[in-house]
Amino acid sequence: MKLLKWGFIGCGEVCEKKSGPAFGMVEGSSVVAVMSRTKEKARSYAERHGVPRWYTDAQELIDDPEVNAVYVATPPSSHATFAIMSMKAGKPVYVEKPLAASYDDCLRINYVSQQTGVPCFCAYYRRYLPYFQKVKDIIDGGVIGQILNVQLRFAVPPRQLDYTHPETLPWRLRPEISGGGYFYDLAPHQLDLLQHFFGVIVEARGICANRGHLYSAEDSVSAVFRFENGLPGSGSWCFVAHDSARADRVLVIGEKGSLSFSVFNYSPIVVHVSGGEQRIEVENPDYVQYPLIKKVIEHLQGLAMCNCTSLTATPTNWVLDRILGKY
């Protein structure tokens, strides 16, 4: 069995709560180095998680002879740079979502992966969570019949950080770093799941606005899209909503009934058919990226196939950029 020895570029919140420990929970995998531009953050993460080495320079981590796979957990604007550096060094890479801050950067990543033959994966981990696998089973099993329409609704109030000075705004609200506002940070998970369920989106357009005037990025987005099989869909996002309008819901309308589920809250899956309503609760693992990370590692060990690649992640960036009018 091939032993995977990971180096992390970035060791922020996502590594603490969603992904980092999972790399050491899979047989034949361990974390041997971490990197952060902030010395104290890199050292602290390494000491708290028992990682042997830490760096403040990404190239040094990639050049570490013991590191043979790289996890890129930085903001999207640097995903393409670090992914390409890793692949050119012959080291497979697992990149946080979205794959990059633009569709064009995704194409660059795919080109280098193809030219080098080094695989690149993207952290659309919801595809492998039991909750969403249950949703897919219901859809594929024909429980609600032929799918006729898909409707997505998401609304949340502003966060306290949204009121800070422009120079101290969180990176998710700085388009030059994140690719957009909260839409570019949260909608990728939703749109990737919909394409996982129904196929690639081939047409998309949107109307974007800034209604709260708390920051420069869009805070309200409405969109329509069409999947490759002709299925129409729509989405509405508002990140400055009143608490009474809070919503996290996808409604799938079929000829025999309907299905609704959440993307972030994991509220019970609700199935409506002529026989009545069924509410289904599904538990997810403590570290939500574990099922995908396990599949990526097994893929690299030649034991399984993982479909969360840079190629399958790229259509989501295309849709994001189309909706925002960037592409």
Side-chain angles (χ1 to χ4, degrees), residues 58-317:
Q59 189 65 63
E60 290 184 7
L61 179 138
I62 292 170
D63 290 341
D64 185 323
E66 191 174 3
V67 170
N68 62 6
V70 176
Y71 171 35
V72 176
T74 58
S77 61
S78 58
H79 285 185
T81 297
F82 293 141
I84 289 171
M85 287 167 59
S86 301
M87 290 186 289
K88 286 188 173 181
K91 302 185 179 185
V93 61
Y94 176 70
V95 184
E96 266 305 321
K97 65 82 207 164
L99 180 61
S102 71
Y103 173 65
D104 287 342
D105 274 353
C106 293
L107 297 182
R108 292 174 54 219
I109 291 172
N110 291 331
Y111 176 79
V112 174
S113 179
Q114 181 182 39
Q115 292 298 307
T116 61
V118 178
C120 177
F121 303 91
C122 187
Y124 283 121
Y125 59 87
R126 280 174 166 79
R127 297 187 200 175
Y128 284 87
L129 284 179
Y131 180 96
F132 299 107
Q133 289 184 329
K134 181 62 177 179
V135 171
K136 194 172 192 307
D137 287 344
I138 294 169
I139 294 169
D140 293 348
V143 175
I144 62 172
Q146 180 187 2
I147 307 305
L148 307 175
N149 193 274
V150 179
Q151 302 170 10
L152 187 159
R153 182 166 178 250
F154 186 82
V156 289
R159 305 180 188 186
Q160 192 59 42
L161 284 172
D162 300 350
Y163 295 95
T164 57
H165 190 275
E167 294 182 359
T168 56
L169 279 173
W171 63 262
R172 289 176 176 84
L173 293 175
R174 299 170 62 183
E176 72 277 13
I177 298 175
S178 65
Y182 285 128
F183 175 77
Y184 219 89
D185 181 52
L186 297 175
H189 275 306
Q190 299 162 315
L191 295 169
D192 176 76
L193 274 174
L194 293 184
Q195 293 184 98
H196 180 56
F197 296 151
F198 306 115
V200 173
I201 292 173
V202 296
E203 182 180 356
R205 56 186 182 274
I207 297 175
C208 311
N210 185 306
R211 303 296 292 168
H213 307 294
L214 299 178
Y215 40 79
S216 62
E218 66 287 331
D219 60 24
S220 296
V221 177
S222 293
V224 292
F225 38 85
R226 180 173 59 85
F227 296 87
E228 58 186 337
N229 63 1
L231 174 67
S234 61
S236 176
W237 295 262
C238 182
F239 303 100
V240 288
H242 186 269
D243 192 62
S244 63
R246 188 185 291 269
D248 172 16
R249 184 172 185 253
V250 176
L251 175 64
V252 182
I253 301 172
E255 61 179 347
K256 297 180 181 178
S258 66
L259 160 70
S260 65
F261 60 95
S262 67
V263 175
F264 301 103
N265 295 333
Y266 308 116
S267 56
I269 300 164
V270 180
V271 180
H272 286 275
V273 292
S274 57
E277 175 186 294
Q278 181 183 13
R279 299 174 68 86
I280 305 167
E281 295 191 18
V282 181
E283 291 188 5
N284 289 319
D286 291 337
Y287 295 107
V288 290
Q289 291 204 30
Y290 172 77
L292 173 55
I293 289 170
K294 182 174 185 290
K295 188 66 69 173
V296 168
I297 291 169
E298 291 175 345
H299 181 115
L300 295 173
Q301 292 172 334
L303 303 175
M305 289 294 293
C306 178
N307 65 8
C308 275
T309 65
S310 61
L311 280 174
T312 66
T314 296
T316 293
N317 275 85

